[in-house]
Amino acid sequence: MDNKSNPWKKDFPILDQVVNDEQLVYLDNAATTQKPQQIIDDITAFYQQDNANVHRGVHTLAERSTEKFEAAREKIQKFIKAKHSDEIIYTKGTTDALNIIARSYGEANIQAGDEIVISYLEHHSNLIPWQQLALKKHATLKYIELDDDGFVDLEDAKKKITDKTKIVSIAHVSNVLGVVNPVKKLAALAHQHGAVMVVDGAQSVPHMPVDVQDLDCDFLAFSGHKMLGPTGIGVLYGKEDLLNAMPPVDFGGEMISFVHLYDTSWNDLPWKFEAGTPNIAGAIALGHAVDYLTNIGMDNILNYENQLVDYVLPKLLDIEDLTVYGPHDPKKHSSVISFNLKDLHPHDLATGLDMEGVAVRAGHHCAQPLMEYLGVSATARASFYFYNTKEDADTLVNSIVATKEFFQNGTI
Amino acid sequence: MALSKMDNLYRQVILDHSAHPHHHGELSDSTNQIELKNPTCGDVLQLDVKVQDNKIVDIAFSGYGCTISQASASMMTDAVMNKDISVAEDMVEDFSDMILGEKSDTDILQDAAILKGVSQFPARIKCATLAWKALHKALNNKQ
């Protein structure tokens, strides 16, 4: 877990730099992760050697890029244990994927009086699409309560999910509280009532093994840039029969079968949902990211991050005047840790940490209803990945203490 | 230690204003009012202004935010109290220029001139300008 024994840190050139005269410690991985040199090289190589539009040409480069683009889809299929590769739809990211579900499945299946069930800890991207759908369709949006540790409460879920519920959509891992929600049990509950289960996997897929068949979720959304890939590429997984029955949401090239003057027939899955020239280099790079992660092993990544949390969480809890949100038992807490110093706004704390080289997020984390639920206006958040080390954790803890002293004792 | 760099951002007078803000609260007889939010961080600032004969005769702010935004609001209320609207509007521009690192008349800004150091912290510029933006909007938002 230390800098010497971590075999992956050296792959990330961006981490080897000084900011504000201090060694950079990057702890904003829940916002976006850094990219290993191998993936940066792969993207360059694609543009140097293979770049062409996909599914359109008969020339060699077009074939080569198409082959790589579709091979990446199969890698992603295996990565999340989907049954078929056509269940993997490339999107711009998690937000885009969730919006597609709301606009396609939601528009087609939600009627006045139906219920959509989410929870208080959802990211805005898993809240606003459902809120707007409910408003438009005169459906009811219901929120599942959180338990004392911040987990989506199964007992309350049993009350909130009813025979009127058509969609349940829950974050697998909270981007604020670091809880891993019981999405498998929630999926079973949703199915008992004839609803579909949507899982926001933005914070889980990069950090732990996710098996869509085991979870039995109907849809899963996640982003490439939070798992070593570039921005602008993400995935919508959906069960084949559901996706087949769903109307496309964007129209244009690629997604058609035949276009006549007054009507059009749609392409097969997954291309039905991929109008226009896709993010080809991004998709291929996401395939490489999946290779990189698979090479380490998702079990190993989860285990490594659990050990880091075991190490850092008690140290954070020991800092006087520091409030840590979410579970205090390291066994229940994933590698996203939110906290506040007493009487200090998280922005001031984050500036102090930045001066010490430590990059954390401060703000509402795109989860304003959760902030209200917690009774705070904002929090600071440190989020770890497998290239972070014990030393990074120590620097975080020491910098919080130094910042606290700076503000308590006045300026130096 | 790189924290010492923060001295520019958090001078004692800034910390004092933040800990003990001037003109904090609400006015029962305001003529102009605005609530402004900083959507990136969730900070909220409510500004109440009482204008008589084109002059700011009373002012108060409430809401919540970071040290910089609270101190800036406190300093702003000090600076514009009993000023003509046109002078206050000039000060809004002077403050904005100063924070963006451009040349400006900082004498008129009183304590607020000390926030000049914020220009070296681009991520915090929005925190410093929130109160001044609120003043500009409030003056154009008669009740």
Side-chain angles (χ1 to χ4, degrees), chain B residues 4-105:
Chain B
S4 58
K5 283 190 187 157
M6 287 210 302
D7 282 353
N8 272 334
L9 186 61
Y10 297 106
R11 305 281 290 271
Q12 193 58 46
V13 58
I14 296 174
L15 295 176
D16 286 347
H17 268 281
S18 171
H20 310 286
H22 306 172
H23 308 107
H24 194 265
E26 292 175 24
L27 298 181
S28 54
D29 55 350
S30 62
T31 56
N32 299 52
Q33 195 190 57
I34 195 88
E35 186 185 81
L36 212 56
K37 291 180 178 169
N38 183 346
T40 55
C41 57
D43 287 358
V44 179
L45 185 85
Q46 184 186 310
L47 190 63
D48 294 4
V49 190
K50 187 179 176 187
V51 176
Q52 259 173 14
D53 303 327
N54 282 322
K55 196 176 191 175
I56 296 171
V57 295
D58 205 357
I59 187 163
F61 79 97
S62 56
Y64 46 84
C66 64
T67 301
I68 304 299
S69 77
Q70 296 298 290
S72 183
S74 171
M75 292 165 167
M76 181 275 289
T77 56
D78 278 355
V80 302
M81 188 70 152
N82 294 319
K83 295 281 191 305
D84 281 346
I85 287 181
S86 62
V87 175
E89 287 280 22
D90 285 345
M91 292 164 76
V92 171
E93 277 193 35
D94 284 327
F95 187 84
S96 172
D97 288 347
M98 176 187 82
I99 286 288
L100 293 173
E102 290 164 23
K103 253 190 151 178
S104 66
D105 175 13

Side-chain angles (χ1 to χ4, degrees), chain A residues 345 347-348 351 355 364 411, chain B residues 2 5 10 39 41 43 67 124:
Chain A
H345 193 282
H347 270 194
D348 299 314
T351 292
M355 290 302 107
H364 53 59
T411 54
Chain B
K5 283 190 187 157
Y10 297 106
C41 57
D43 287 358
T67 301
R124 307 303 299 276

